[in-house]
Amino acid sequence: MVRTEVAVVLGYPGPDAVGIDDTFRELGFDSLTAVELRNRINATTGIRLRVTTVFDYPTVDELTEHLVSELEIPDGEETPTPAGEPTAGGHANDDVIVNLYLNAVAEGRADDGMRMLTAAAKLLPSFTDAESAGRPKIVQLAGGHLRPQLMCMVPPIAPMLDTAYSLFATGLPEPRDVSALWPLGFSEGQPVPADMESLFRVYGDAVLEEAGIDPVVLVGHSSGGWIAHGVASYLCGIGRPPAAVAMLDTYWPGDLVVEVQRDFMRAQAKRHDLMSEDSGAAPLGHQLVAMGGYLGMFDEWKPQPIDVPTLLVRAREYMNGTPKPEHVQEVTDGTYHYTADVPGNHFSMMSKHPESTASAVHDWLARVL
């Protein structure tokens, strides 16, 4: 069964073409195809696997052994319902928020869809301080001797996927501590930030609590870079600046031309089927509304330069695979001190080329720190 699903996801001619001892990375898996395989196995077996399962059990043989152990059901317990079957509460496709947003994106009206989400987000509970926020979830992705450690800001984008930074962390040339801070509001019962000042303060204080006295390198992919820069500015303001800031294909609100932004929104919408089913994650409709709350806050935001070494790692291609012209790659606003170009587009630089992206950050840190 596992070899059959692998063949389907990767487009192999049949299960016999899939070696049982080849690692999934060697077979051609990236973060998105790994989640797709997880979802297909969930639907077939009824087992709720983690998004990172393919990398935790990196060969067909190891994954099969894990599935066999999970399928051993004690006497008297019911057989699990396949994850793809509807429940009494309905299926995600019944969510009017999801359908309206996806229709808007498909019709080229992503701005209208985002305005709907931003308006709905005003009805969510919000936080202004650590007490009303609760502590953001911080997950360690890798460990190592090299310092400083990296603190990655997960983009506030639906659906929440937890594989991109994991691949980035394992792609570093030398092991170092890498953690990821998850945005509040995307799990059941969590509030969203009332404003950017509350966001940066609560996340900044969480970073200090996690890291201790040693400054960290703040890393942010996509809109996660907005949060990384804002948190860095807050930390500078209280006299606890980070060691450095690394932005991974981050462009400020309003900087992208309309058609490029539409291509990004269409590509992001296709990732909704890859949504994590980990316990505690809010339904997709709720996550979309939380996303609208975050992105709406940043509509008019223009970051100011900070006195911290700052890198922009740029993907060389647009979403459609076309190389970006040189003038698009130029930086003119002074918010980045250094740049580096890596293979891939906005998504594939993290999923198919994580080693190149991680090496660009590693090499830069070796030069400037």
Side-chain angles (χ1 to χ4, degrees):
M1 181 273 291
V2 174
R3 295 173 76 188
T4 298
E5 297 296 354
V6 169
V8 170
V9 171
L10 295 181
Y12 283 20
D16 291 342
V18 179
I20 62 172
D21 294 321
D22 293 333
T23 68
F24 290 121
R25 291 297 296 275
E26 291 170 343
L27 291 171
F29 275 93
D30 58 29
S31 60
L32 296 185
T33 49
V35 177
E36 184 179 353
L37 176 63
R38 187 285 307 263
N39 289 351
R40 293 182 66 89
I41 292 175
N42 279 3
T44 300
T45 65
I47 300 173
R48 296 178 64 84
L49 300 174
R50 288 182 52 80
V51 177
T52 56
T53 297
V54 169
F55 303 107
D56 295 336
Y57 304 92
T59 67
V60 169
D61 198 32
E62 292 178 62
L63 180 56
T64 300
E65 288 184 10
H66 173 65
L67 292 174
V68 169
S69 68
E70 290 292 312
L71 284 169
E72 291 178 356
I73 305 169
D75 292 340
E77 291 193 12
E78 296 181 1
T79 302
T81 301
E85 292 184 8
T87 64
H91 196 273
N93 288 338
D94 295 331
D95 191 318
V96 67
I97 291 287
V98 175
N99 286 333
L100 285 173
Y101 176 73
L102 293 181
N103 288 341
V105 171
E107 295 171 3
R109 300 171 57 195
D111 287 347
D112 290 337
M114 189 56 63
R115 280 191 286 270
M116 173 192 70
L117 299 179
T118 300
K122 297 181 186 300
L123 302 176
L124 293 176
S126 61
F127 67 81
T128 56
D129 53 28
E131 183 178 356
S132 57
R135 192 174 189 272
K137 182 174 76 170
I138 298 178
V139 179
Q140 184 166 1
L141 305 176
H145 63 280
L146 208 57
R147 293 293 182 268
Q149 68 170 296
L150 307 185
M151 182 68 69
C152 303
M153 301 292 154
V154 176
I157 300 296
M160 285 278 106
L161 300 176
D162 62 359
T163 54
Y165 285 133
S166 297
L167 295 174
F168 170 84
T170 57
L172 289 165
E174 295 183 58
R176 73 168 78 215
D177 289 346
V178 182
S179 297
L181 186 152
W182 287 70
L184 291 166
F186 289 81
S187 293
E188 295 283 6
Q190 288 183 340
V192 296
D195 48 52
M196 284 191 296
E197 290 75 15
S198 302
L199 164 66
F200 299 149
R201 182 174 60 254
V202 168
Y203 288 15
D205 290 345
V207 169
L208 293 179
E209 182 181 345
E210 180 74 14
I213 63 173
D214 295 329
V216 303
V217 176
L218 297 175
V219 179
H221 173 238
S222 190
S223 54
W226 305 349
I227 297 177
H229 191 283
V231 169
S233 181
Y234 164 76
L235 294 177
C236 288
I238 64 172
R240 296 289 302 277
V245 177
M247 313 287 196
L248 310 180
D249 215 44
T250 295
Y251 293 91
W252 304 131
D255 282 358
L256 287 177
V257 298
V258 173
E259 191 52 44
V260 173
Q261 188 171 14
R262 286 175 180 169
D263 285 346
F264 167 76
M265 299 304 288
R266 292 189 192 104
Q268 181 65 30
K270 293 177 181 177
R271 295 158 66 92
H272 289 175
D273 288 340
L274 306 179
M275 178 177 167
S276 171
E277 296 176 0
D278 291 343
S279 176
L284 180 56
H286 183 106
Q287 291 196 25
L288 284 170
V289 173
M291 177 181 78
Y294 275 87
L295 299 189
M297 282 192 303
F298 284 97
D299 265 348
E300 304 298 326
W301 181 64
K302 291 295 181 185
Q304 299 301 311
I306 53 178
D307 191 20
V308 170
T310 305
L311 169 72
L312 171 63
V313 180
R314 306 174 297 197
R316 292 197 181 111
E317 300 173 357
Y318 287 120
M319 294 304 303
N320 61 8
T322 304
K324 294 178 183 177
E326 193 61 36
H327 73 274
V328 172
Q329 300 286 63
E330 294 176 356
V331 176
T332 58
D333 64 359
T335 53
Y336 307 116
H337 308 129
Y338 307 87
T339 59
D341 296 337
V342 296
N345 62 35
H346 186 76
F347 291 131
S348 66
M349 66 181 289
M350 300 296 286
S351 61
K352 293 186 177 180
H353 308 286
E355 293 87 358
S356 296
T357 304
S359 292
V361 174
H362 171 87
D363 294 345
W364 172 70
L365 291 174
R367 293 195 304 270
V368 302
L369 296 183

